[in-house]
Amino acid sequence: MSDDQRDQTPAEPAAEAPAQAPAPTGPQPEPIRFFGTTWVHHDGGYALRRAGMALAALLAAVAGAYLLRFSYEGLEIGNVGAFLSISVVVLFAIASSIAFAKTWDSFSRRAAPSSDEAALKGLKAIGFIGSLIAYFMRCFVEAPGERLRRAEYERAAAEFARRRSSRTGNPATRRPKRKK
């Protein structure tokens, strides 16, 4: 062996991977936007988040209403006529009411995969004030969508517990059945 080879120290063994937390058993709660999974135990500033999101939704709805008002005033300044001005107001009112109803409904049930939700995205975008008001009002009761996710989570947890409790152990260690 040469002197160069003797001076080199052997490679350090690979550092052990940090201890990973064991994989959680059972179903995991689905996070809700802006709330994460704090809705499960109402911890981690859940009440403060609900109040903050209600206030933010209300402020956004008021700001949107002012923008629509300025747009309407622009139509009046442009002197486009009464028919177009009234049509725009009616359009936004109808779009907002449909968006409110669809948003409110989405908090209590999931849309079917083949439903018309994709076709209504444009209408819900036009009626964004209705969606914001629905979000604002739902924050007074719960985190938007909490009831739906809680029911799904509790159903999955109960089913997991039922499946888990029906197991009797390792089937390889069972004694064979006696013949009569």
Side-chain angles (χ1 to χ4, degrees):
M1 215 182 236
S2 71
D3 290 334
D4 292 336
Q5 289 176 340
R6 276 187 240 140
D7 292 339
Q8 294 177 355
T9 57
E12 294 291 324
E16 292 183 24
Q20 295 178 356
T25 58
Q28 297 300 309
E30 182 181 349
I32 297 175
R33 181 182 290 162
F34 306 121
F35 293 93
T37 56
T38 60
W39 59 269
V40 177
H41 301 293
H42 293 182
D43 59 352
Y46 172 79
L48 188 60
R49 287 181 191 203
R50 263 185 45 200
M53 289 310 302
L55 183 63
L58 181 64
L59 291 176
V62 168
Y66 273 115
L67 284 174
L68 290 178
R69 179 177 176 236
F70 292 141
S71 299
Y72 179 77
E73 287 177 359
L75 289 175
E76 291 296 318
I77 290 171
N79 200 16
V80 294
F83 178 74
L84 185 60
S85 296
I86 292 172
S87 297
V88 167
V89 171
V90 169
L91 168 77
F92 276 105
I94 291 171
S96 290
S97 64
I98 291 172
F100 178 89
K102 292 294 182 181
T103 303
W104 190 266
D105 198 32
S106 72
F107 295 144
S108 59
R109 67 175 176 84
R110 292 208 186 262
S114 63
S115 69
D116 296 334
E117 290 297 318
L120 293 175
K121 282 186 179 181
L123 187 65
K124 286 174 77 174
I126 292 170
F128 66 97
I129 292 176
S131 292
L132 289 169
I133 292 173
Y135 201 88
F136 165 73
M137 291 175 64
R138 187 59 123 181
C139 282
F140 284 121
V141 179
E142 64 183 4
E146 177 183 344
R147 185 175 301 147
L148 172 67
R149 285 177 175 84
R150 186 173 301 281
E152 290 173 350
Y153 175 64
E154 288 174 353
R155 189 178 320 114
E159 185 176 318
F160 178 79
R162 182 186 54 79
R163 283 184 291 159
R164 193 78 171 163
S165 65
S166 66
R167 296 180 184 167
T168 57
N170 186 355
T173 60
R174 290 188 196 153
R175 284 190 255 160
K177 293 183 180 180
R178 292 186 345 200
K179 293 184 178 181
K180 293 183 185 181

Short mmCIF file of all heavy atoms in Angstrom, two decimals, residues 126-171:
data_model
loop_
_atom_site.label_atom_id
_atom_site.label_comp_id
_atom_site.label_asym_id
_atom_site.label_seq_id
_atom_site.Cartn_x
_atom_site.Cartn_y
_atom_site.Cartn_z
N ILE A 126 -68.67 35.67 -12.08
CA ILE A 126 -69.40 36.93 -12.27
C ILE A 126 -70.15 37.29 -10.98
O ILE A 126 -70.18 38.44 -10.57
CB ILE A 126 -70.37 36.84 -13.47
CG1 ILE A 126 -69.58 36.73 -14.76
CG2 ILE A 126 -71.30 38.04 -13.52
CD1 ILE A 126 -70.41 36.40 -15.97
N GLY A 127 -70.73 36.30 -10.34
CA GLY A 127 -71.48 36.53 -9.11
C GLY A 127 -70.64 36.32 -7.87
O GLY A 127 -71.12 35.79 -6.87
N PHE A 128 -69.39 36.76 -7.93
CA PHE A 128 -68.46 36.53 -6.81
C PHE A 128 -68.95 37.14 -5.51
O PHE A 128 -68.62 36.65 -4.43
CB PHE A 128 -67.07 37.08 -7.17
CG PHE A 128 -67.01 38.57 -7.31
CD1 PHE A 128 -66.58 39.35 -6.26
CD2 PHE A 128 -67.37 39.19 -8.49
CE1 PHE A 128 -66.52 40.73 -6.38
CE2 PHE A 128 -67.32 40.55 -8.63
CZ PHE A 128 -66.89 41.33 -7.57
N ILE A 129 -69.73 38.19 -5.57
CA ILE A 129 -70.22 38.80 -4.33
C ILE A 129 -71.14 37.84 -3.59
O ILE A 129 -71.07 37.72 -2.37
CB ILE A 129 -70.95 40.13 -4.64
CG1 ILE A 129 -69.93 41.15 -5.14
CG2 ILE A 129 -71.67 40.67 -3.41
CD1 ILE A 129 -70.52 42.46 -5.56
N GLY A 130 -71.95 37.09 -4.31
CA GLY A 130 -72.82 36.09 -3.68
C GLY A 130 -72.01 34.99 -3.02
O GLY A 130 -72.33 34.55 -1.91
N SER A 131 -70.93 34.55 -3.67
CA SER A 131 -70.07 33.53 -3.07
C SER A 131 -69.40 34.05 -1.80
O SER A 131 -69.30 33.33 -0.79
CB SER A 131 -69.00 33.08 -4.06
OG SER A 131 -69.58 32.39 -5.13
N LEU A 132 -68.94 35.29 -1.84
CA LEU A 132 -68.28 35.87 -0.66
C LEU A 132 -69.27 36.04 0.50
O LEU A 132 -68.92 35.80 1.66
CB LEU A 132 -67.64 37.21 -1.02
CG LEU A 132 -66.41 37.12 -1.92
CD1 LEU A 132 -66.03 38.50 -2.42
CD2 LEU A 132 -65.26 36.47 -1.18
N ILE A 133 -70.48 36.42 0.19
CA ILE A 133 -71.48 36.56 1.25
C ILE A 133 -71.84 35.20 1.84
O ILE A 133 -72.02 35.08 3.06
CB ILE A 133 -72.73 37.32 0.72
CG1 ILE A 133 -72.35 38.77 0.44
CG2 ILE A 133 -73.88 37.24 1.70
CD1 ILE A 133 -73.42 39.57 -0.24
N ALA A 134 -71.92 34.17 1.01
CA ALA A 134 -72.19 32.82 1.52
C ALA A 134 -71.05 32.38 2.44
O ALA A 134 -71.29 31.80 3.51
CB ALA A 134 -72.35 31.83 0.37
N TYR A 135 -69.82 32.65 2.04
CA TYR A 135 -68.66 32.29 2.87
C TYR A 135 -68.70 33.06 4.19
O TYR A 135 -68.46 32.49 5.25
CB TYR A 135 -67.38 32.60 2.10
CG TYR A 135 -66.17 31.86 2.59
CD1 TYR A 135 -65.85 30.61 2.09
CD2 TYR A 135 -65.34 32.40 3.57
CE1 TYR A 135 -64.75 29.92 2.54
CE2 TYR A 135 -64.24 31.72 4.02
CZ TYR A 135 -63.95 30.49 3.50
OH TYR A 135 -62.85 29.81 3.96
N PHE A 136 -69.03 34.34 4.12
CA PHE A 136 -69.12 35.18 5.32
C PHE A 136 -70.17 34.63 6.28
O PHE A 136 -69.91 34.48 7.48
CB PHE A 136 -69.46 36.61 4.90
CG PHE A 136 -69.95 37.49 6.01
CD1 PHE A 136 -69.06 37.96 6.98
CD2 PHE A 136 -71.27 37.88 6.09
CE1 PHE A 136 -69.50 38.78 8.00
CE2 PHE A 136 -71.71 38.70 7.11
CZ PHE A 136 -70.83 39.15 8.07
N MET A 137 -71.34 34.29 5.76
CA MET A 137 -72.42 33.81 6.62
C MET A 137 -72.10 32.43 7.20
O MET A 137 -72.44 32.15 8.35
CB MET A 137 -73.73 33.79 5.84
CG MET A 137 -74.23 35.19 5.52
SD MET A 137 -75.69 35.21 4.50
CE MET A 137 -76.87 34.44 5.57
N ARG A 138 -71.44 31.58 6.43
CA ARG A 138 -71.13 30.23 6.92
C ARG A 138 -70.09 30.28 8.03
O ARG A 138 -70.09 29.43 8.93
CB ARG A 138 -70.64 29.37 5.77
CG ARG A 138 -70.44 27.94 6.16
CD ARG A 138 -71.73 27.31 6.67
NE ARG A 138 -72.05 26.17 5.88
CZ ARG A 138 -73.10 25.42 6.05
NH1 ARG A 138 -73.94 25.68 7.00
NH2 ARG A 138 -73.32 24.40 5.28
N CYS A 139 -69.21 31.29 8.00
CA CYS A 139 -68.18 31.40 9.05
C CYS A 139 -68.79 31.67 10.42
O CYS A 139 -68.13 31.45 11.43
CB CYS A 139 -67.18 32.50 8.69
SG CYS A 139 -65.97 31.98 7.46
N PHE A 140 -70.02 32.16 10.48
CA PHE A 140 -70.68 32.35 11.77
C PHE A 140 -71.07 31.02 12.41
O PHE A 140 -71.14 30.91 13.62
CB PHE A 140 -71.92 33.24 11.63
CG PHE A 140 -71.61 34.68 11.46
CD1 PHE A 140 -72.04 35.35 10.34
CD2 PHE A 140 -70.85 35.37 12.39
CE1 PHE A 140 -71.75 36.69 10.16
CE2 PHE A 140 -70.56 36.71 12.23
CZ PHE A 140 -71.00 37.37 11.11
N VAL A 141 -71.34 30.02 11.59
CA VAL A 141 -71.79 28.73 12.08
C VAL A 141 -70.61 27.78 12.30
O VAL A 141 -70.50 27.15 13.34
CB VAL A 141 -72.80 28.10 11.09
CG1 VAL A 141 -73.26 26.74 11.56
CG2 VAL A 141 -73.97 29.03 10.88
N GLU A 142 -69.75 27.69 11.30
CA GLU A 142 -68.64 26.73 11.31
C GLU A 142 -67.64 27.16 10.23
O GLU A 142 -67.90 28.08 9.47
CB GLU A 142 -69.13 25.33 10.99
CG GLU A 142 -69.70 25.22 9.59
CD GLU A 142 -70.28 23.88 9.25
OE1 GLU A 142 -70.32 23.01 10.12
OE2 GLU A 142 -70.69 23.72 8.09
N ALA A 143 -66.54 26.44 10.17
CA ALA A 143 -65.63 26.64 9.05
C ALA A 143 -66.36 26.12 7.80
O ALA A 143 -66.98 25.07 7.85
CB ALA A 143 -64.34 25.86 9.25
N PRO A 144 -66.34 26.88 6.73
CA PRO A 144 -67.08 26.45 5.54
C PRO A 144 -66.68 25.05 5.08
O PRO A 144 -65.53 24.78 4.78
CB PRO A 144 -66.72 27.50 4.49
CG PRO A 144 -66.42 28.72 5.31
CD PRO A 144 -65.75 28.20 6.55
N GLY A 145 -67.65 24.15 5.08
CA GLY A 145 -67.42 22.76 4.69
C GLY A 145 -67.08 21.85 5.85
O GLY A 145 -66.86 20.65 5.66
N GLU A 146 -67.05 22.38 7.06
CA GLU A 146 -66.67 21.57 8.22
C GLU A 146 -67.65 20.43 8.49
O GLU A 146 -67.24 19.29 8.74
CB GLU A 146 -66.55 22.45 9.47
CG GLU A 146 -66.23 21.68 10.72
CD GLU A 146 -66.19 22.56 11.95
OE1 GLU A 146 -66.13 23.79 11.84
OE2 GLU A 146 -66.22 21.99 13.05
N ARG A 147 -68.93 20.70 8.43
CA ARG A 147 -69.93 19.67 8.74
C ARG A 147 -69.81 18.49 7.78
O ARG A 147 -69.85 17.33 8.19
CB ARG A 147 -71.32 20.27 8.67
CG ARG A 147 -72.41 19.30 9.09
CD ARG A 147 -73.77 19.96 9.14
NE ARG A 147 -73.75 21.08 10.06
CZ ARG A 147 -74.47 22.18 9.91
NH1 ARG A 147 -75.27 22.31 8.89
NH2 ARG A 147 -74.40 23.15 10.79
N LEU A 148 -69.62 18.78 6.51
CA LEU A 148 -69.47 17.73 5.51
C LEU A 148 -68.22 16.90 5.77
O LEU A 148 -68.26 15.67 5.81
CB LEU A 148 -69.41 18.35 4.11
CG LEU A 148 -69.08 17.42 2.96
CD1 LEU A 148 -70.22 16.43 2.76
CD2 LEU A 148 -68.85 18.23 1.70
N ARG A 149 -67.11 17.57 5.99
CA ARG A 149 -65.85 16.85 6.21
C ARG A 149 -65.85 16.10 7.53
O ARG A 149 -65.29 15.02 7.64
CB ARG A 149 -64.68 17.82 6.14
CG ARG A 149 -64.39 18.22 4.69
CD ARG A 149 -63.29 19.24 4.62
NE ARG A 149 -62.92 19.56 3.26
CZ ARG A 149 -63.56 20.45 2.51
NH1 ARG A 149 -64.60 21.10 2.98
NH2 ARG A 149 -63.15 20.70 1.28
N ARG A 150 -66.50 16.67 8.55
CA ARG A 150 -66.59 15.98 9.85
C ARG A 150 -67.41 14.70 9.73
O ARG A 150 -67.03 13.66 10.25
CB ARG A 150 -67.19 16.89 10.91
CG ARG A 150 -67.18 16.26 12.31
CD ARG A 150 -67.62 17.23 13.37
NE ARG A 150 -66.81 18.42 13.46
CZ ARG A 150 -65.62 18.48 14.07
NH1 ARG A 150 -65.10 17.41 14.61
NH2 ARG A 150 -64.95 19.61 14.11
N ALA A 151 -68.51 14.76 9.01
CA ALA A 151 -69.34 13.56 8.82
C ALA A 151 -68.56 12.49 8.06
O ALA A 151 -68.59 11.31 8.43
CB ALA A 151 -70.62 13.91 8.08
N GLU A 152 -67.84 12.89 7.01
CA GLU A 152 -67.04 11.93 6.25
C GLU A 152 -65.92 11.34 7.11
O GLU A 152 -65.65 10.14 7.07
CB GLU A 152 -66.44 12.60 5.01
CG GLU A 152 -67.45 12.96 3.96
CD GLU A 152 -66.86 13.76 2.83
OE1 GLU A 152 -65.69 14.21 2.94
OE2 GLU A 152 -67.55 13.93 1.81
N TYR A 153 -65.26 12.20 7.89
CA TYR A 153 -64.16 11.75 8.74
C TYR A 153 -64.65 10.80 9.82
O TYR A 153 -64.04 9.75 10.07
CB TYR A 153 -63.45 12.96 9.35
CG TYR A 153 -62.38 12.61 10.34
CD1 TYR A 153 -61.23 11.93 9.95
CD2 TYR A 153 -62.50 12.97 11.68
CE1 TYR A 153 -60.24 11.61 10.87
CE2 TYR A 153 -61.52 12.67 12.60
CZ TYR A 153 -60.39 11.98 12.19
OH TYR A 153 -59.42 11.68 13.09
N GLU A 154 -65.75 11.14 10.48
CA GLU A 154 -66.27 10.28 11.54
C GLU A 154 -66.75 8.94 10.98
O GLU A 154 -66.58 7.90 11.61
CB GLU A 154 -67.38 10.99 12.31
CG GLU A 154 -66.84 12.10 13.19
CD GLU A 154 -67.93 12.92 13.86
OE1 GLU A 154 -69.13 12.73 13.54
OE2 GLU A 154 -67.57 13.77 14.69
N ARG A 155 -67.36 8.98 9.79
CA ARG A 155 -67.79 7.74 9.14
C ARG A 155 -66.59 6.86 8.81
O ARG A 155 -66.60 5.66 9.07
CB ARG A 155 -68.57 8.06 7.87
CG ARG A 155 -69.25 6.86 7.25
CD ARG A 155 -70.07 7.21 6.00
NE ARG A 155 -70.82 8.45 6.10
CZ ARG A 155 -70.58 9.54 5.35
NH1 ARG A 155 -69.64 9.53 4.44
NH2 ARG A 155 -71.30 10.63 5.51
N ALA A 156 -65.53 7.46 8.28
CA ALA A 156 -64.33 6.70 7.94
C ALA A 156 -63.64 6.17 9.19
O ALA A 156 -63.17 5.02 9.21
CB ALA A 156 -63.36 7.56 7.13
N ALA A 157 -63.61 6.96 10.26
CA ALA A 157 -62.99 6.51 11.51
C ALA A 157 -63.79 5.37 12.13
O ALA A 157 -63.20 4.40 12.64
CB ALA A 157 -62.87 7.67 12.49
N ALA A 158 -65.11 5.45 12.10
CA ALA A 158 -65.95 4.38 12.65
C ALA A 158 -65.78 3.10 11.83
O ALA A 158 -65.67 2.00 12.40
CB ALA A 158 -67.41 4.80 12.67
N GLU A 159 -65.71 3.23 10.52
CA GLU A 159 -65.51 2.04 9.67
C GLU A 159 -64.14 1.43 9.91
O GLU A 159 -64.00 0.21 9.97
CB GLU A 159 -65.67 2.42 8.20
CG GLU A 159 -65.59 1.24 7.28
CD GLU A 159 -65.85 1.63 5.84
OE1 GLU A 159 -66.75 2.44 5.60
OE2 GLU A 159 -65.13 1.10 4.96
N PHE A 160 -63.13 2.29 10.08
CA PHE A 160 -61.78 1.79 10.35
C PHE A 160 -61.75 1.05 11.68
O PHE A 160 -61.16 -0.02 11.80
CB PHE A 160 -60.78 2.94 10.37
CG PHE A 160 -59.38 2.52 10.69
CD1 PHE A 160 -58.58 1.93 9.73
CD2 PHE A 160 -58.86 2.70 11.96
CE1 PHE A 160 -57.29 1.53 10.02
CE2 PHE A 160 -57.58 2.30 12.27
CZ PHE A 160 -56.78 1.71 11.29
N ALA A 161 -62.40 1.62 12.71
CA ALA A 161 -62.43 0.96 14.02
C ALA A 161 -63.18 -0.37 13.95
O ALA A 161 -62.77 -1.35 14.57
CB ALA A 161 -63.09 1.88 15.04
N ARG A 162 -64.25 -0.40 13.18
CA ARG A 162 -65.01 -1.63 13.04
C ARG A 162 -64.17 -2.70 12.35
O ARG A 162 -64.12 -3.85 12.79
CB ARG A 162 -66.29 -1.38 12.24
CG ARG A 162 -67.17 -2.60 12.06
CD ARG A 162 -68.35 -2.35 11.16
NE ARG A 162 -68.01 -1.81 9.85
CZ ARG A 162 -67.54 -2.55 8.82
NH1 ARG A 162 -67.34 -3.83 8.98
NH2 ARG A 162 -67.27 -1.98 7.67
N ARG A 163 -63.49 -2.33 11.28
CA ARG A 163 -62.65 -3.30 10.58
C ARG A 163 -61.48 -3.74 11.45
O ARG A 163 -61.08 -4.89 11.45
CB ARG A 163 -62.09 -2.70 9.28
CG ARG A 163 -63.10 -2.65 8.17
CD ARG A 163 -62.47 -2.15 6.92
NE ARG A 163 -62.16 -0.73 7.15
CZ ARG A 163 -61.27 -0.04 6.47
NH1 ARG A 163 -60.57 -0.58 5.53
NH2 ARG A 163 -61.06 1.23 6.74
N ARG A 164 -60.93 -2.81 12.20
CA ARG A 164 -59.77 -3.11 13.05
C ARG A 164 -60.16 -4.03 14.20
O ARG A 164 -59.41 -4.91 14.58
CB ARG A 164 -59.21 -1.79 13.58
CG ARG A 164 -57.90 -1.88 14.20
CD ARG A 164 -56.86 -1.96 13.14
NE ARG A 164 -55.57 -1.82 13.80
CZ ARG A 164 -54.46 -2.16 13.25
NH1 ARG A 164 -54.45 -2.63 12.03
NH2 ARG A 164 -53.34 -2.02 13.88
N SER A 165 -61.34 -3.81 14.78
CA SER A 165 -61.74 -4.60 15.94
C SER A 165 -62.19 -6.00 15.55
O SER A 165 -62.21 -6.90 16.38
CB SER A 165 -62.86 -3.90 16.71
OG SER A 165 -64.02 -3.84 15.91
N SER A 166 -62.54 -6.23 14.31
CA SER A 166 -63.01 -7.55 13.91
C SER A 166 -61.86 -8.52 13.72
O SER A 166 -62.08 -9.72 13.59
CB SER A 166 -63.83 -7.45 12.63
OG SER A 166 -63.02 -7.04 11.56
N ARG A 167 -60.65 -8.04 13.71
CA ARG A 167 -59.50 -8.93 13.56
C ARG A 167 -59.23 -9.63 14.88
O ARG A 167 -59.28 -9.03 15.95
CB ARG A 167 -58.27 -8.13 13.15
CG ARG A 167 -58.43 -7.50 11.78
CD ARG A 167 -57.20 -6.74 11.42
NE ARG A 167 -57.40 -6.06 10.14
CZ ARG A 167 -56.62 -5.13 9.67
NH1 ARG A 167 -55.57 -4.75 10.36
NH2 ARG A 167 -56.86 -4.57 8.51
N THR A 168 -58.89 -10.90 14.79
CA THR A 168 -58.66 -11.66 16.02
C THR A 168 -57.19 -11.95 16.26
O THR A 168 -56.85 -12.60 17.22
CB THR A 168 -59.42 -13.00 15.96
OG1 THR A 168 -58.97 -13.71 14.80
CG2 THR A 168 -60.91 -12.76 15.91
N GLY A 169 -56.35 -11.50 15.39
CA GLY A 169 -54.93 -11.74 15.59
C GLY A 169 -54.31 -12.34 14.35
O GLY A 169 -54.88 -12.33 13.27
N ASN A 170 -53.14 -12.94 14.55
CA ASN A 170 -52.41 -13.53 13.44
C ASN A 170 -53.06 -14.86 13.07
O ASN A 170 -53.10 -15.78 13.88
CB ASN A 170 -50.95 -13.74 13.85
CG ASN A 170 -50.09 -14.22 12.71
OD1 ASN A 170 -50.58 -14.50 11.63
ND2 ASN A 170 -48.81 -14.31 12.97
N PRO A 171 -53.55 -14.99 11.84
CA PRO A 171 -54.22 -16.24 11.48
C PRO A 171 -53.26 -17.43 11.43
O PRO A 171 -53.70 -18.58 11.54
CB PRO A 171 -54.81 -15.95 10.10
CG PRO A 171 -54.19 -14.71 9.63
CD PRO A 171 -53.61 -14.00 10.80
#
